[in-house]
Structures are given as C-alpha cells and as structure tokens.
Amino acid sequence: MKVSVSSLYQAVELNQEIPPLLIGERCNPNGSKAFREALLAEDWDSCLKMALDQEARGAQVLDLCVAYAGRDELSDMNTLVKLFAGSCKAPLMLDSTSPETLSAVLPLYPGRAIINSINLEDGGANLDKICALAKKYGAAVVALTITEEGMALTCEKKVAAAKEIYRLAVEKHGLRAQDILFDLLTFTVGSGDEKMRDAAIQTLDAIKQVKKELPGVGFTLGVSNISFGLRPAARKVLNSVFLHEAVAAGLNTAIVDAAKVLPYVAISDEDRQLCLDLLFNRSDDALMNFIEHFEQAVEESDEEESDTLLEEQLRQKVLKGDKEGLEDLLTELRGRWQPLDIINGLLVPAMREVGELFGRGELLLPFVLQSAEVMKQSVNLLEPYMEKLSDEGRTSILLATVAGDVHDIGKNLVDIILSNNGYKVHNIGIKVPAEEIIAKAKELQVDVVGLSGLLVKSALLMKENMLQFQAAGLTQPVLLGGAALTPKFVAEDCVPGYENQVVYCADAFAGLKAIRDFESGSLQSTRWESAAVAANKPGPQQEGIDRSQIPPSVPFLGEKIIEDLPAEPLFNYLNQAALFRGRWGYRRGKMSKEEYAELTDKTVLPLYARLKDQALSENWLQPKVAYGYFDCCSEGDSLLVHSTSGEKRFDFPRQPAPPHLCIADYFRSAEEGGDKVGFFVVTIGDRLAEMTSELYASDSYHDYLMLHGLGVELTDGLAEYWHEQMRIEMGLQQQAQADVAAYVAQGYQGSRYGFGYPACPDLEAHLPLFELVKAQQIGVGLTESFEMVPEMSTSAIVVHHPQAKYFAV
Amino acid sequence: MRYICTCCGYTYDPAKGDEMNQVAPGVEFDDLPDSWVCPLCYATKDQFDPLD
C-alpha cells in the first residue's frame, strides 16, 4: 500500500523504492547547537536556512522541534511551522508531545504532517489527546516505546509496548496501521556498559517482530543514538552500517543528519566487519577493536564533512540568492574544478533551475534577480583565474530597444537573465534605428536578434523593422518583447514580414527558452489561431454623450509651472498594488493569503519603508509640474485648443467598433458653446533615473528593479496627485482625498488620458502639448520620436466630462 | 474570490461584476472568458493575483 505524507508542494511516500526515507533531524535545539542559537536569538531566517540546507542534502521529511527551556514552545512552533510550510518542499514532522502545541499548529500546516510523538509514559492520557488530533487532521504519528516503566530496552518490552500503543491508537482512536511509525528506540553500543552490548540486536529483532505481528505499520529510528559517545568519524560509519542493517530488518524511515549518511558501498569491508562485530556483539573485544581502528581515522570536523558538498553549497547560493561567503567557497571550488567548469557545470545548471522555479511560480522575480547577482559575482570572481570567456561556440544575442523608445528595463532584464545563463549578449541600448541594428547584427555575427519596446508605437515599428531586416538580408531569428505586443500581433503582423523565425516572448524567461529552442533547432515562429480568443476592448458602453454638460470654471487660462512641490505627499498617491505586485514582481502566485501577507509584512513593506526614507532624506525626487487650462472646442475627431501662442489641434482616433468612442466627443463644439480642457506634464526629475542606471551598471540587479519600479510608480503617483489638484481647482472635487483605491478605479469626475496610451496612442500630440504648457521649463524634453525625457515623466489631457472614462481604440 | 490586477491594482469582485466589460454580477473570476482583460489597464487574466 502506498502511504504518503505531504507538504504544500508535494507528497512523499513513506515507503521509498530505495528505503529508507530520510528525516532531517537538525532543526532541534536539543540536537543542534546552531539551531539552538538561532532559536534563542529568534533568528527565524537562520532556522529556515537550516531546514532548506537539510533538504538540499537529501532530507525528504524535516523534523521540527522547538521545545527548549525558557522558550514558549507553542509560540515558536507557530512561527516556524508557518515559515517552513511556505518555504520547504519536504513535509514536516512536528516534534512535540504537547497536545496544546499540536492542536494549534496542525490546522496551520497545508499538508499531511507527521506527529512526533506519542508514548505511554503517563499511562496514555497524552496519547489519547494526540491520537484524537492525528485523527482529526489526518496526520501520521510516531510512537515511541516508552511506558510507565520507562524506555523499553529489550525486544520483548519494545514489542509489548508497541502492541499496547497499537491497540489504543488503532482500535480505540481509529487510526490506521499505516498511520503509525514505531520508533522502537535504540541505545548506544559505544558506552562499554555491559547491559547495553546487545542494544542493536534488541532493536533490530524488535523491528522484525513488530513488522510481523502488526502488519502495515511503519517504522522510524533515531539512528545516531547507536553510536552516542564515540568519535564523529567513527559514528558516521557505525551509524551508516546500523542503518543498513535496520533497513534490512524492515525500517522504512530514519531520523538522521541526511548529510552524514554514507552509502553502504562506500564503506570498506574492514570497516563494515568492525561495525557488524560491534552491533551484533560478536566478541568481547568488539568495542575496543572498533575504537582502536577508528582512532586512526582522520578527525572530521563539521567543516570537513561539508567539503564533499561544496558543489551543492554553490547551487544553494545561487538558488537562494545568497552572496555571503561566495568568494571563499569559489576559492575552495577552484581547487577541484577549472573555473570554466564551475561556470558551465555548476552555476549555469543552478540558474537553469532558478528559471524553472520562476516558470512554475515558485520563485518571484526579485529573488530571481538576487540569484542572477550571485551568478554574476561568481563569474567576476572566477574571471581572473581563467582565460577570458571564449565567445566561440557560445550563442550570441543582440539586444536593442527599438527607435524612438527610451524604455530599457525590459531589455535589461532579458540581458541579465541571458548573460547569467551563459550566453553572450550585445546590449546596444535604447532608441536604436533599424539600420543600426542591421549593421551591428552583421558586424557582430550574432545568432539571434532581440527587440524590445514598451510603446504602442514600438509594436508598429517592430512590424516595419521586420521588412527592413528582410530587405537587408538578415537571417537571424528575431525575438520580440514589450508591453504593447501580443502573440496575435506578432503572428499576424510581424511573422509574415520576415523569412526566418519571429518569436513573441512574454518575459525574460520566455526569451531564454527561445534561445534554448534555437540551439536545439526547434525554434518556431509565433503562431496565432484566429479561432482563438481575441482580447476584449473594455470601456464605457454608453450610446450618446451628454451634450449639455456645462464647462467647469477654471482658475486661470494659460500655463503655469510648479517647481517647489514637496516629495512626501507623492507617497500617499503611490499605487502600492501596482508597485509591489507588478513592478517589483512580488506576486502571490501559489502562496496562501496568510503567506502572502507575511511576505508583504516581512519583506515588501520594510523594503518600501526603507526606500521611502532614503528617497526623502537623500532628495532623490524633484517633483515638478507644467500645466494649464485652455478654451477649446471639438471639431469632428479633433480638439482645437486656443492659447496665446495660437490655436493647437489635437487629432484623436475613434474606435472602429461600437460604441465608437473618441476623446474629442467629450468636448462641446464651437456651435455648442465651446469648452474647457486641462493638460499637464509632470516629472520626478532625472536623479532616480541616473541612480537606476548606476545600479544596473554595477550588476545590482535586484535594487535596480526595485528603484526603477519605485520611480515609475511615483511618477504615476505625481500624475494622480496633480490630476486631483486640477479637479479641485475646477470645482469637480471639494478637497484632497488621496484615495488611491478609488482613483485606480477612476472614482472621480472625468478622466486623464496619457499620450501614448490606448485612448490616444499617438505621441506626436506631445508637440502641441509641450507648446501649450511649456514643459521644457521643468526640464522635460522630447526625443525625435516625441517621447519624454527623463523617462520618469508623464503627460495627460484632463477631461472634465463625467462620461469620460478609460477606453482603447 | 476577488482578484487584483498586478499592473494597476484594479480589483475584480464577482459580487459586482465588471460593467466596462459587460460582465454581470455573480460571475467568478475563473469563469471570465480568456479574452477578458482588466477594464482599466487591459492586463490579461494571467496578470491577476487572487486577493482573498
């Protein structure tokens, strides 16, 4: 019969194909000094690290014990079970004999746990309570053969105690035989105590007998007790031989330090014989012979034992994004491997794993970037010891943000992921015209070209680029990524223009997958089934627009510059959901609500608070506004704006499908009496943009993403703030509310439409806009393709009509 | 269960539906068509996080 326990992430069979199932014992203050210290210091991260380390070293289930003098077991268990449940793949063994503690934490655990443990020390009162809990929560239970007389030392007493526990647990409490794991206890054969010479035999015999008399039950054993009092090097061998014998007797799980289990075949015949003589009490001198023999053995400290696992440690560093001690670790690894082998054999596979975890939603973007930082720093540390990484044979990729587009975070994330997966990336920057991309692709003889761009216009430009690439004779596959792209657009508009593959990539890892497909010869152009879904075009559904809306009174006509804005209020208008989940990538994914709340409280909010403090105390932000109110009237799809510098014309697109919305419709025509319109350009200055470039240049990928995201959302916060100011000035709103949740859903009169966005995608409108509000006075300029610089600026037309809401043309 | 748009913070609440996309109250997020997008920023369904 298959019997499993489970964590949030996976089920693990108690009866492994190759027994035993290894239960990690290190998270126990009574058995591990490091864990004790972490527990006493309430250093929960270190506690978790020990759990994850055990997993990495092969533990399939994790024992967790926090009972320690002076500590509150219930509270500590509560904290750690929640932490471990979300982070450990291995199911937990809840090591407590307190029904109160167990009843508090069992409901928190999102899987099938094992309770460790029940016994008959008090005659069965505790056992009754814990078995009831096991039944209620479907947990498995470890049962120790301890009775009112004490620990069962002989086979006979062990079996008798087991039968009594079985009777109570199964017949009285309705547990199933397979729910019970008997720990028949073992004691050291290393003490020289005459009475204990056959301790191993008693335990092994008891396993065989209980297995026969109580079919279906499982077993576990604290294996290392067998060697208590002996030297570490000797213990490791004796424990491993004893484990081998116990498994032969029927043991299916074992509580061990998974890192210290030696494969049986790795133990020499001589060592085996000495161990077996001692375990099976084959001669009076067995213990002395054993000790003498292992006296010669190299004293192994904990450090040396971890030597064998240096490679694993490096993998863990990458997976956890942990740079601590990286230099020492790499120095040691260089003693075993060539630097290039460390990169290709250890680091690259670890990064591949990171990508897979991200793909499965088990690792969030900020952590991926920390992993990439470890990768990058490792390569930097290795480079002095090797010839420069040869580009020969490495797949090379040209990356560029297309002409007219200044957005580089997406392209740079792709660069980070690709270059830290061992590929040669030529990142040639932003606003790159097709001619330059073609020239560079030829000159550098790259294997693949990747184009990026955020704007709606960039998507259209990519379509044109395909034709230009084709005409210029490029043959490399082209990968396309960007916010305004869809697989449908790529398949229908870009693929036909270019003979070779054109592939839509939703994120950096899709790009990585495409490169791997290219290498394996399986890269294919993006296809789009026209029968498949076409995206909705949401928006107001009204038939007609009320023509009788009276224009608001405006405080002045013409433009105004505001340069002395304090930065702090912007944070009240910052959209935290968009920043945390969208820009920063702290998505909930597979986490429970509680786990996500914990991530938010422990990681995200503290980071946000720290950045906010720094931004204010170090003056990262220089918020400035150029805005104005103008007389205007609509004329067909256009808006004519009157100003002292003459009439400006804004042409707006109209939806081709019902309800055929167009921004101009929200304004009265000249015949209807004309109207009023507002415009603004806001910026937080260029300081933050400079800082983000520096972070990117210094490979601080994580901070780069965080700061960039903060800047973009603060810019939007400033726009939200200023839009509110303008509503107040126009009498559309009484006072400042800074209600971000309401503003997200346009809970106000009118709308602000950003140029370059779906209702008015044409950036050329920036030309008349800039003439109207004189945005150059606040340091904002336009690129040749009418994008604003610095990047952290935004613009809008402010519409007062109550029916005006977001829509897409 | 309510869902939140990770791009703009819009919350889809089945109790309210989504007028901009002509979705009546009572439709669970999982039952929205694949073509459904955020009514405010046009993010696709896979860009939403569960909220409750």
Side-chain angles (χ1 to χ4, degrees), chain A residues 196-407:
Chain A
M196 300 308 289
R197 291 176 72 110
D198 62 352
I201 300 173
Q202 297 296 339
T203 302
L204 295 173
D205 284 351
I207 293 175
K208 288 182 208 162
Q209 202 172 328
V210 171
K211 191 176 169 69
K212 200 165 75 187
E213 296 196 23
L214 302 174
V217 300
F219 298 91
T220 194
L221 199 60
V223 173
S224 58
N225 289 337
I226 195 72
S227 62
F228 190 74
L230 295 168
R231 294 180 52 205
R235 292 192 71 174
K236 197 164 159 180
V237 180
L238 185 62
N239 293 348
S240 301
V241 172
F242 180 58
L243 178 60
H244 180 80
E245 293 302 315
V247 167
L251 187 76
N252 58 332
T253 81
I255 302 176
V256 293
D257 182 346
K260 293 186 183 169
V261 177
L262 294 172
Y264 196 62
V265 290
I267 301 170
S268 72
D269 273 345
E270 191 189 3
D271 286 1
R272 280 187 205 173
Q273 281 313 316
L274 284 159
C275 291
L276 293 170
D277 287 348
L278 177 58
L279 291 170
F280 291 105
N281 193 21
R282 285 172 181 164
S283 84
D284 289 348
D285 305 328
L287 180 60
M288 283 318 293
N289 292 342
F290 178 90
I291 290 173
E292 269 170 32
H293 175 73
F294 283 98
E295 195 70 38
Q296 315 302 323
V298 184
E299 182 77 53
E300 283 187 271
S301 70
D302 270 355
E303 263 169 53
E304 279 170 309
E305 281 170 36
S306 64
D307 264 8
T308 50
L309 300 152
L310 288 177
E311 292 80 3
E312 176 55 30
Q313 284 179 31
L314 185 62
R315 171 176 165 265
Q316 288 298 325
K317 292 238 174 272
V318 173
L319 289 181
K320 293 177 196 156
D322 173 12
K323 279 184 273 195
E324 210 183 296
L326 194 58
E327 190 162 4
D328 292 342
L329 179 60
L330 287 166
T331 306
E332 288 192 68
L333 276 164
R334 276 195 291 106
R336 301 184 181 191
W337 305 81
Q338 293 296 321
L340 192 62
D341 293 333
I342 298 176
I343 293 173
N344 290 329
L346 301 174
L347 291 165
V348 169
M351 278 303 291
R352 185 179 289 243
E353 243 183 290
V354 167
E356 285 162 3
L357 288 169
F358 177 80
R360 290 202 300 270
E362 290 173 29
L363 200 65
L364 298 170
L365 184 59
F367 302 110
V368 170
L369 294 181
Q370 287 174 347
S371 295
E373 286 181 20
V374 173
M375 173 80 189
K376 181 74 187 182
Q377 196 177 330
S378 300
V379 172
N380 288 346
L381 288 166
L382 290 168
E383 265 174 346
Y385 303 96
M386 54 198 269
E387 288 179 35
K388 205 173 170 325
L389 263 182
S390 157
D391 293 342
E392 210 167 304
R394 285 165 83 199
T395 299
S396 60
I397 299 106
L398 182 82
L399 287 182
T401 301
V402 296
D405 200 326
V406 298
H407 297 95

Side-chain angles (χ1 to χ4, degrees), chain B residues 17-42:
Chain B
D18 165 18
E19 200 185 325
M20 302 275 260
N21 275 300
Q22 295 164 287
V23 175
V27 179
E28 287 298 326
F29 183 82
D30 283 344
D31 297 329
L32 292 170
D34 290 343
S35 60
W36 184 86
V37 296
C38 173
L40 299 176
C41 77
Y42 317 110

Side-chain angles (χ1 to χ4, degrees), chain A residues 60-92:
Chain A
Q60 294 154 300
V61 170
L62 297 169
D63 186 82
L64 173 62
C65 175
V66 294
Y68 196 75
R71 295 293 310 174
D72 178 351
E73 187 196 15
L74 201 161
S75 158
D76 289 344
M77 200 65 152
N78 212 332
T79 305
L80 286 178
V81 166
K82 279 195 251 176
L83 183 62
F84 283 21
S87 305
C88 301
K89 278 198 186 146
L92 289 188

Side-chain angles (χ1 to χ4, degrees), chain A residues 24 66 140 157 168 235 247 258 273 282 332 405 411 461 530 643 733 744 778-779 789:
Chain A
V66 294
K157 288 195 170 165
L168 292 170
R235 292 192 71 174
V247 167
Q273 281 313 316
R282 285 172 181 164
E332 288 192 68
D405 200 326
K411 167 181 63 67
L461 200 69
S530 50
S643 77
Q733 183 173 324
V744 162
I778 56 166
V789 275

Side-chain angles (χ1 to χ4, degrees), chain A residues 533-541 575 577-579 581-583 586-589 593 596 713 744-746 758-759 805-808, chain B residues 1 4-11 18-22 33-42 45-52:
Chain A
V533 288
N536 270 15
K537 279 199 174 166
Q541 306 297 330
N575 184 339
L579 177 63
R581 297 176 196 254
R583 303 283 171 194
Y586 283 108
R587 292 192 56 174
R588 180 165 145 194
K593 189 182 180 186
Y596 188 70
E713 287 303 327
V744 162
Q746 294 204 284
K805 294 294 163 209
Y806 294 145
F807 65 91
Chain B
M1 174 141 59
I4 186 164
C5 175
T6 61
C7 295
C8 77
Y10 163 82
T11 300
D18 165 18
E19 200 185 325
M20 302 275 260
N21 275 300
Q22 295 164 287
D34 290 343
S35 60
W36 184 86
V37 296
C38 173
L40 299 176
C41 77
Y42 317 110
K45 275 182 81 177
D46 59 355
Q47 290 169 283
F48 276 70
D49 263 2
L51 197 57
D52 299 310

